[in-house]
């Protein structure tokens, strides 16, 4: 328990460290380098008058990041956030800070950065300073409002439509099929069953009589054919193809001999009648 106390105190001390700015100032100059506006910045109060720059002007922001002891600190991340409240467009501009904590940011509209948000209506942008460090508390301060010349409307992103609600899906079901008249159904049934009736009639002329079907010479062949039907049924339930081929090959041998004996018996009976 006591061994954890120094680590907790060190963590609380690190979290309590606060960064601040020393000598923050904004300067607006024209293309010739003449200063049009220069005034200090404050972390606690935003500049009352919006800062306005034209196409050839340059906005410069300078400051030094220091800790509570006044020593220069180089934070891990330093950005300016430019945000338009009406269009919700924003741009994040990084600021390079030296190891001694000194920073300088220049915004030249003759070469605007790609992340600069569009201002089609000329509305002011809120400029916020964001500083992040793993050893100190984060810092966020709204500095001033920036008025830029009107620009083109921001192009629509190719995936913009995927971030909006899609139309409601309405399912349409096909109407039920109409049944044909009973007469047509009966005729179609007769057409389907007619070949079977003809087949049974012709088979009755050549099929052996029931008394001969169950004779010792014909019954083994009938049983072997039934065994093949059972094997196919078992294959449909769960047997594998290899098993079916193996069992079928085994059944083929007795089936061939039983069939040969059945055909010989039927032939002998027919010759005896003649």
């Amino acid at each position: 328990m006591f061994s954890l106390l120094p680590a907790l105190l060190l963590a609380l001390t690190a979290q309590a460290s606060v960064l601040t700015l020393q000598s923050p100032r904004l300067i607006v100059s024209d293309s010739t380098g003449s200063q049009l506006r220069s005034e200090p910045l404050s972390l606690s109060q935003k500049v009352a008058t919006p800062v306005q720059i034209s196409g050839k002007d340059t906005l410069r922001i300078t400051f030094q990041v220091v800790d509570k002891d006044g020593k220069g600190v180089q934070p891990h991340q330093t950005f300016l956030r430019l945000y338009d409240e009406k269009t919700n467009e924003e741009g994040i501009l990084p600021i390079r800070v030296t190891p001694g904590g000194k920073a300088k940011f220049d915004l030249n509209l003759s070469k605007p950065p790609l992340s600069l948000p569009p201002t089609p209506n000329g509305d002011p942008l809120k400029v916020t300073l964001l500083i992040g460090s793993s050893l100190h508390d984060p810092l966020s301060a709204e500095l001033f409002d920036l008025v830029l010349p009107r620009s083109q409307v921001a192009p629509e992103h190719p995936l913009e439509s995927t971030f909006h609600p899609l139309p409601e899906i309405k399912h349409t079901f096909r109407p039920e099929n109409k049944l044909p008249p009973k007469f047509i159904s009966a005729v179609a049934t007769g057409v389907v069953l007619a070949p079977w009736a003809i087949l049974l009639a012709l088979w009755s002329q050549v099929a052996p009589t029931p008394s001969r079907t169950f004779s010792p010479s014909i019954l083994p062949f009938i049983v072997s054919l039934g065994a093949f039907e059972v094997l196919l049924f078992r294959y449909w339930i769960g047997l594998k193809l290899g098993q079916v081929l193996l069992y079928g090959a085994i059944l083929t041998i007795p089936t061939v001999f039983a069939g040969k004996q059945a055909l010989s018996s039927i032939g002998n009976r027919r010759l005896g009648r003649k």
Side-chain angles (χ1 to χ4, degrees), residues 147-228:
V147 179
L148 300 177
R150 294 178 181 267
S151 63
Q152 297 292 332
V153 180
E156 184 176 352
H157 195 275
L159 300 179
E160 176 68 23
S161 58
T162 60
F163 293 92
H164 297 280
L166 297 177
E168 181 181 358
I169 299 177
K170 296 182 179 180
H171 297 279
T172 55
F173 298 94
R174 186 177 60 183
E176 296 182 0
N177 296 329
K178 294 182 179 180
L179 297 177
K182 293 183 178 181
F183 175 76
I184 297 179
S185 299
V187 172
T189 304
V191 172
V192 173
L193 296 179
W196 291 98
I198 297 173
L199 177 63
L200 292 176
L202 296 176
W203 183 75
S204 63
Q205 301 296 324
V206 297
T209 59
S211 59
R212 287 184 295 171
T213 302
F214 296 101
S215 63
S217 59
I218 299 178
L219 183 61
F221 180 65
I222 301 298
V223 172
S224 61
L225 293 180
F228 270 104

Side-chain angles (χ1 to χ4, degrees), residues 9-265:
L9 293 177
L10 180 60
L12 293 176
T13 303
Q15 291 297 326
S17 301
V18 179
L19 294 177
T20 185
L21 300 184
Q22 188 175 25
S23 304
R25 176 171 291 274
L26 72 85
I27 301 173
V28 178
S29 58
D30 58 14
S31 58
T32 62
S34 302
Q35 293 188 3
L36 304 178
R37 181 174 178 178
S38 177
E39 61 182 288
L41 298 174
S42 175
L43 298 179
S44 59
Q45 187 176 1
K46 183 175 69 172
V47 176
T49 306
V51 179
Q52 184 172 1
I53 58 177
S54 62
K56 297 182 179 180
D57 296 340
T58 300
L59 171 64
R60 172 170 293 182
I61 300 176
T62 58
F63 56 85
Q64 184 181 13
V65 184
V66 296
D67 56 13
K68 61 180 181 179
D69 298 328
K71 183 180 179 181
V73 176
Q74 184 182 29
H76 294 88
Q77 295 178 337
T78 306
F79 300 100
L80 278 182
R81 178 178 183 256
L82 281 64
Y83 176 66
D84 190 338
E85 291 182 324
K86 293 185 178 181
T87 61
N88 289 329
E89 295 285 347
E90 69 172 359
I92 303 298
L93 306 178
I95 301 178
R96 180 175 298 179
V97 182
T98 64
K102 294 184 178 182
K104 181 178 68 173
F105 172 78
D106 290 333
L107 176 60
N108 189 351
L109 293 185
S110 61
K111 297 179 180 178
L114 296 177
S115 58
L116 189 67
T119 54
N121 302 322
D123 298 320
L125 302 175
K126 285 190 173 183
V127 180
T128 305
L129 177 64
L130 304 174
I131 297 178
S133 174
S134 61
L135 303 177
H136 306 83
D137 290 342
L139 176 63
S140 176
E142 187 174 347
L143 301 180
F144 54 87
D145 291 339
L146 179 63
V147 179
L148 300 177
R150 294 178 181 267
S151 63
Q152 297 292 332
V153 180
E156 184 176 352
H157 195 275
L159 300 179
E160 176 68 23
S161 58
T162 60
F163 293 92
H164 297 280
L166 297 177
E168 181 181 358
I169 299 177
K170 296 182 179 180
H171 297 279
T172 55
F173 298 94
R174 186 177 60 183
E176 296 182 0
N177 296 329
K178 294 182 179 180
L179 297 177
K182 293 183 178 181
F183 175 76
I184 297 179
S185 299
V187 172
T189 304
V191 172
V192 173
L193 296 179
W196 291 98
I198 297 173
L199 177 63
L200 292 176
L202 296 176
W203 183 75
S204 63
Q205 301 296 324
V206 297
T209 59
S211 59
R212 287 184 295 171
T213 302
F214 296 101
S215 63
S217 59
I218 299 178
L219 183 61
F221 180 65
I222 301 298
V223 172
S224 61
L225 293 180
F228 270 104
E229 296 295 333
V230 173
L231 177 62
L232 294 178
F233 177 74
R234 292 291 302 171
Y235 172 60
W236 180 63
I237 292 177
L239 287 180
K240 296 182 179 179
L241 181 60
Q243 295 174 323
V244 173
L245 295 177
L246 176 62
Y247 299 151
I250 296 174
L251 286 175
T252 300
I253 298 174
T255 302
V256 170
F257 288 103
K260 183 177 180 181
Q261 182 181 0
L263 291 175
S264 299
S265 175

